[in-house]
Amino acid sequence: MSNIVIEGKSKTKFITMNNGLKMPLVGLGSWQSDNPEEIELALEKALEAGYRHFDTATLYKNEDSLGKVFRRWLDQGKVKREELFIVTKLPWNAMRPDLVEKFLKSSLARLQVKYVDLYLTHWPIGLIYTSDDDLIPMKDGKIMYDKTTDIEAVWKAMEAQVDAGLAKSIGISNYNIKQVERIMKMARIPPANQQVEVQTYFQNKALRQVCEKYNISVCAYGPLGSPGRKTYSFTGIEFNIPDLMDDPVVKDIAKKHSKTPGQILLKFLVQQNIAVIPKSTNPERLKMNINIFDFELTQVDMRRLEGLDKGEAGRSFPGFTDMKEHPECPWFMEKVSTPRR
Ligand code: NAP
């Protein structure tokens, strides 16, 4: 799995997943980028900067903007489809076997491609399906959880998408250790990837070890600590945002290598074969985020960064109101205590 190769023109290195397909180690995140002009420009700049891995989700409501730019680049012959690594996710309200194909086909139509490279179940939790567009259905101010979610049955429907050629690879997101083990017990096609929060203050080591045991590659979301995160009223839970880029150890290592703190945070993960999908719509920052393959962190640097792990206390994505009442709730934080440094 951790077999890394440098590919011709691309700016990034790759992880070879358990199905033999390659995932670029650095991709572009796109959560909270639903302004069409902004995301289209960012995507153009990212493609120019050498990005080939793009992370989206039905929930982000930007698949159509990404699709427009992909189509332009493909039609103009500036990139081949097989050079792109496009990831999208099954939303919570479609976390049912009978809805998987329908939702994936809608994503493909918006992305203007015949297949995605990786299709993920966004969360192990399902919400009540009311309509295709009502992605977070609410009643009387409360999220409408579907407590009958059957993650094994959904996984079978995910496997059918590989058989049908609509997804090259399938994976999971936000699954805990027990849920990974349950999927591994029944899977005909094991997950190729798990996308979870991994950042310097929350290194998520136990879950990563289990993924490694089962040869499931890991992709880190929030690798910079998600500093632009907005509090959404529907989450009903306050959270603190870790100030990773201001950490004295990170700053010190950045200075030593003449790099930015953001580049050090990303390199720390990539050097452990963890894929990263930093979100940026800023042309300079997104360029910076992929230019991390011209230096190596020393063993001492790695040890110092490992030492910043706060375990569970460093987790910064808290989940949602009443989520713990769902039988598949993967974790729950009563009170977020990520300290600001
Ligand atoms: P992130 O990538 O850690 O942080 C993004 C924020 O950092 C943005 O506000 C961005 O602002 C800023 N930024 C980017 N590069 C920077 C740099 N070099 N220096 C300083 N600031 C920088 O957090 P994220 O967006 O939450 O996570 C990354 C991606 O993971 C998401 O976009 C999404 O695709 C995915 N994700 C998945 C899940 C899941 O449940 N599977 C959950 C969360 C996120 P500018 O745009 O202004 O640069």
Side-chain angles (χ1 to χ4, degrees):
M1 191 259 296
S2 43
N3 178 19
I4 294 182
V5 288
I6 305 178
E7 288 290 297
K9 279 185 265 172
S10 178
K11 281 266 185 180
T12 163
K13 294 183 181 183
F14 292 74
I15 299 176
T16 302
M17 299 185 294
N18 58 18
N19 57 6
L21 298 175
K22 286 186 216 152
M23 167 190 260
L25 267 166
V26 179
L28 185 73
S30 70
W31 180 41
Q32 302 187 136
S33 310
D34 54 5
N35 174 324
E37 274 172 31
E38 188 184 53
I39 183 68
E40 282 174 39
L41 181 66
L43 201 63
E44 282 281 345
K45 294 291 173 197
L47 281 156
E48 284 167 13
Y51 282 81
R52 294 295 179 262
H53 171 177
F54 301 92
D55 184 74
T56 182
T58 297
L59 200 70
Y60 303 166
K61 297 193 172 162
N62 59 17
E63 290 171 316
D64 50 349
S65 299
L66 270 70
K68 262 194 207 168
V69 181
F70 292 145
R71 185 49 37 213
R72 202 155 54 224
W73 273 63
L74 290 164
D75 287 349
Q76 291 173 0
K78 294 204 286 194
V79 74
K80 293 192 189 102
R81 174 66 188 91
E82 56 272 25
E83 289 168 354
L84 297 174
F85 191 93
I86 302 173
V87 185
T88 193
K89 312 184 191 92
L90 181 74
W92 304 312
N93 69 327
M95 197 55 193
R96 270 174 29 184
D98 58 324
L99 292 176
V100 173
E101 182 184 336
K102 175 183 171 173
F103 271 74
L104 174 53
K105 282 185 170 167
S106 301
S107 287
L108 292 174
R110 287 189 289 270
L111 290 163
Q112 301 193 43
V113 290
K114 292 198 173 87
Y115 65 87
V116 286
D117 297 274
L118 179 62
Y119 196 45
L120 302 173
T121 51
H122 205 145
W123 277 74
I125 287 176
L127 306 185
I128 299 282
Y129 173 81
T130 55
S131 74
D132 289 5
D133 300 328
D134 193 9
L135 299 175
I136 304 177
M138 312 228 355
K139 196 175 178 190
D140 303 329
K142 289 193 132 197
I143 296 175
M144 294 164 68
Y145 289 103
D146 173 4
K147 296 188 182 169
T148 68
T149 308
D150 180 343
I151 62 169
E152 283 94 346
V154 170
W155 189 253
K156 283 194 188 129
M158 293 288 283
E159 292 174 330
Q161 308 317 308
V162 178
D163 299 338
L166 302 180
K168 292 270 180 204
S169 310
I170 46 175
I172 52 183
S173 179
N174 296 305
Y175 282 41
N176 66 23
I177 290 174
K178 282 195 176 134
Q179 289 164 333
V180 172
E181 284 175 338
R182 277 165 54 200
I183 296 295
M184 285 309 297
K185 249 189 209 137
M186 53 70 62
R188 175 171 58 87
I189 304 175
N193 185 255
Q194 152 106 291
Q195 189 180 113
V196 279
E197 182 183 8
V198 186
Q199 38 88 356
T200 310
Y201 288 171
F202 178 58
Q203 298 182 22
N204 215 341
K205 282 187 182 153
L207 182 60
R208 278 168 45 206
Q209 270 165 15
V210 170
C211 289
E212 192 169 353
K213 172 177 150 196
Y214 291 119
N215 207 10
I216 302 171
S217 62
V218 171
C219 179
Y221 72 63
L224 298 168
S226 196
R229 207 174 336 161
K230 297 167 198 152
T231 305
Y232 285 104
S233 52
F234 73 80
T235 66
I237 292 171
E238 291 297 317
F239 52 82
N240 295 326
I241 293 174
D243 223 347
L244 302 179
M245 281 178 268
D246 217 24
D247 186 286
V249 172
V250 176
K251 280 172 39 181
D252 186 49
I253 296 173
K255 195 170 163 203
K256 191 180 94 180
H257 289 279
S258 303
K259 293 285 169 190
T260 64
Q263 288 172 314
I264 299 302
L265 295 169
L266 298 174
K267 184 72 179 189
F268 173 55
L269 302 181
V270 159
Q271 207 163 301
Q272 300 174 76
N273 295 341
I274 302 168
V276 291
I277 41 171
K279 175 264 168 184
S280 185
T281 41
N282 174 296
E284 286 314 307
R285 286 196 284 275
L286 65 81
K287 219 187 277 176
M288 211 186 275
N289 292 345
I290 201 169
N291 285 329
I292 55 170
F293 294 101
D294 59 350
F295 75 108
E296 290 293 309
L297 295 171
T298 64
Q299 277 186 10
V300 175
D301 298 332
M302 293 297 282
R303 270 203 299 275
R304 290 180 75 197
L305 291 163
E306 271 168 27
L308 297 178
D309 190 11
K310 300 176 196 302
E312 271 301 316
R315 190 193 281 280
S316 80
F317 279 79
F320 315 107
T321 328
D322 301 330
M323 186 174 91
K324 67 177 171 194
E325 286 164 24
H326 192 288
E328 295 291 357
C329 176
W331 71 82
F332 192 72
M333 302 169 77
E334 289 295 344
K335 198 163 184 282
V336 179
S337 58
T338 310
R340 273 193 172 273
R341 293 178 74 102

